[in-house]
Amino acid sequence: SDWSSDVCSSDLTIEPGESDNKTIEFALSDMASYSEDKAAYVLEKGHYILRIGNSSRNTKAVAKLILEKKKEA
């Protein structure tokens, strides 16, 4: 599915100076890349920064995801 239609929503909008708690859910497999060698999607072990913003040039780090071991799908 197209992540932008799943994640981007007016329900996530807040005005400058306001704060609010929101929940965003997604499958870790959506972050995986395809390995031709393994003929599978792979998510490498490591640290991943989740960034949110209104454009790719205007983002803020909001969470760090730590994957303790490599995953294949």
Side-chain angles (χ1 to χ4, degrees):
S1 71
D2 177 11
W3 74 269
S4 61
S5 64
D6 293 341
V7 174
C8 296
S9 165
S10 60
D11 292 343
L12 297 177
T13 302
I14 59 172
E15 297 300 321
E18 291 182 338
S19 65
D20 198 358
N21 290 320
K22 302 291 182 182
T23 300
I24 299 173
E25 295 180 8
F26 59 92
L28 282 179
S29 60
D30 290 343
M31 296 174 46
S33 58
Y34 188 75
S35 168
E36 290 185 16
D37 294 340
K38 297 182 184 269
Y41 284 91
V42 176
L43 188 56
E44 297 291 338
K45 171 185 171 181
H47 294 215
Y48 294 84
I49 304 298
L50 180 61
R51 303 183 70 85
I52 295 181
N54 61 0
S55 75
S56 60
R57 293 182 182 193
N58 185 27
T59 65
K60 179 178 179 181
V62 295
K64 179 175 17 175
L65 309 172
I66 301 171
L67 187 61
E68 305 246 340
K69 62 181 184 177
K70 183 179 187 175
K71 293 186 146 259
E72 293 182 25

